[in-house]
């Protein structure tokens, strides 16, 4: 299967710890998106990459959040000094550049901050 | 950003058609109407999109009002696997990336 994959699927951490999530998009998809979804709500956009360039960041992405896509393939999302409010599902999506293209979502990483 | 309004939940019987409404009275001329759905414990998946004309694909049909202020997603024969949260999203189609702004969506329950 060559869909979007995310790792880990679940992460439990204590408040104040740093966590890092990985997203592997569909091969050759230039664009990669990160979203956050809290319980009972729709996903909220966090940031977007085209190849290795981070082109858009939501104001939801505080200074404790950083995302990278160093070689234009996989991406990582790091949260420093986690807070209980960071508990959520973190979703990654990808699509090719050029024209309208649907976004393909991964299964998400569920973060629980104790 | 233009907003959408959807009912919080709807119920349907299996093998019957389902009409999921969406109001978007502040839609602009360049906004496309997208529908995604999210099955339990999964990421969202694309269903269909359109601009002005009605659209059909293997999953569903999209009926767009003439003034574009509302639209309806039609599932022709609901199955138990169609139980999900359905999101109606407005988005400008351009080459600068198409970040999606999700609302609360409609939770569709399908009864056997």
């Amino acid at each position: 299967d060559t869909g979007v994959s995310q790792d880990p699927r679940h992460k439990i951490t204590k408040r104040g710890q740093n966590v890092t999530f990985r997203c592997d998009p569909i091969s050759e998809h230039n664009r990669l998106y990160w979203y956050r979804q809290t319980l009972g709500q729709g996903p909220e956009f966090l940031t977007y990459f085209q190849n290795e360039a981070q082109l858009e960041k939501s104001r939801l992405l505080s200074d404790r959040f950083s995302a990278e896509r160093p070689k234009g393939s996989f991406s990582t999302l790091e949260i420093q000094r986690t807070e209980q409010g960071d508990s959520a599902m973190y979703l990654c999506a990808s699509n090719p550049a050029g024209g309208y293209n649907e976004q393909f979502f991964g299964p998400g990483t569920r973060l629980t901050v104790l | 950003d233009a907003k959408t309004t959807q009912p919080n939940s709807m119920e349907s019987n299996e093998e019957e058609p389902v009409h999921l409404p969406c109001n978007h009275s502040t839609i602009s001329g360049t906004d496309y109407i997208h529908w995604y759905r999210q099955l339990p414990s999964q990421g969202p998946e694309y269903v269909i999109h359109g601009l002005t004309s009605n659209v059909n694909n293997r999953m569903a049909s999209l009926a767009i009002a003439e003034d574009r202020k509302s639209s309806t997603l039609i599932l022709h024969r609901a199955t138990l696997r169609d139980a999900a949260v359905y999101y109606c999203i407005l988005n400008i189609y351009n080459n600068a990336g198409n970040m999606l702004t999700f609302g609360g969506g409609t939770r569709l329950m399908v009864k056997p």
Side-chain angles (χ1 to χ4, degrees):
Chain A
D1 180 77
T2 57
V4 177
S5 62
Q6 293 187 244
D7 184 68
R9 295 290 308 276
H10 303 272
K11 178 71 176 178
I12 299 174
T13 191
K14 292 182 179 178
R15 190 175 54 183
Q17 297 295 304
N18 298 345
V19 294
T20 301
F21 309 141
R22 176 178 171 128
C23 170
D24 285 89
I26 292 172
S27 180
E28 297 179 357
H29 277 191
N30 309 81
R31 294 176 176 170
L32 186 147
Y33 309 78
W34 284 98
Y35 294 83
R36 180 176 69 185
Q37 185 173 27
T38 54
L39 209 58
Q41 305 297 314
E44 299 171 292
F45 167 76
L46 291 179
T47 190
Y48 148 66
F49 291 84
Q50 179 150 321
N51 299 313
E52 66 275 8
Q54 188 173 18
L55 298 185
E56 192 80 26
K57 288 197 294 186
S58 163
R59 60 181 181 275
L60 292 174
L61 213 65
S62 76
D63 291 345
R64 297 183 298 104
F65 287 70
S66 63
E68 293 183 343
R69 196 182 182 198
K71 297 181 180 178
S73 57
F74 72 91
S75 175
T76 57
L77 178 68
E78 181 183 15
I79 309 174
Q80 295 182 326
R81 304 181 304 282
T82 52
E83 302 173 355
Q84 287 185 324
D86 297 331
S87 295
M89 176 74 81
Y90 290 84
L91 293 159
C92 176
S94 71
N95 63 4
Y100 174 82
N101 288 288
E102 66 190 88
Q103 290 187 24
F104 295 84
F105 283 81
T109 294
R110 179 164 295 285
L111 173 66
T112 302
V113 182
L114 302 176
Chain B
D1 291 341
K3 292 187 67 173
T4 62
T5 304
Q6 300 176 254
N8 288 336
S9 63
M10 289 185 64
E11 222 171 60
S12 169
N13 293 317
E14 195 176 11
E15 298 191 4
E16 289 186 355
V18 182
H19 291 233
L20 297 164
C22 181
N23 287 321
H24 29 78
S25 58
T26 60
I27 191 170
S28 73
T30 52
D31 283 335
Y32 277 69
I33 302 159
H34 307 241
W35 285 82
Y36 280 72
R37 73 179 185 180
Q38 188 170 21
L39 280 63
S41 302
Q42 294 188 27
E45 66 174 344
Y46 168 82
V47 177
I48 200 166
H49 79 281
L51 183 61
T52 56
S53 305
N54 295 344
V55 184
N56 299 298
N57 67 20
R58 63 174 181 82
M59 288 181 72
S61 295
L62 177 60
I64 301 173
E66 198 169 330
D67 63 5
R68 301 206 329 123
K69 293 186 176 182
S70 65
S71 61
T72 303
L73 179 70
I74 302 165
L75 307 179
H76 296 286
R77 288 181 70 229
T79 69
L80 297 178
R81 293 185 59 205
D82 291 322
V85 179
Y86 287 78
Y87 295 100
C88 170
I89 300 165
L90 301 184
N91 189 252
I92 296 172
Y93 163 36
N94 59 41
N95 274 330
N98 51 333
M99 292 74 73
L100 302 173
T101 302
F102 291 80
T106 296
R107 181 173 298 279
L108 175 66
M109 292 167 280
V110 181
K111 296 184 295 184

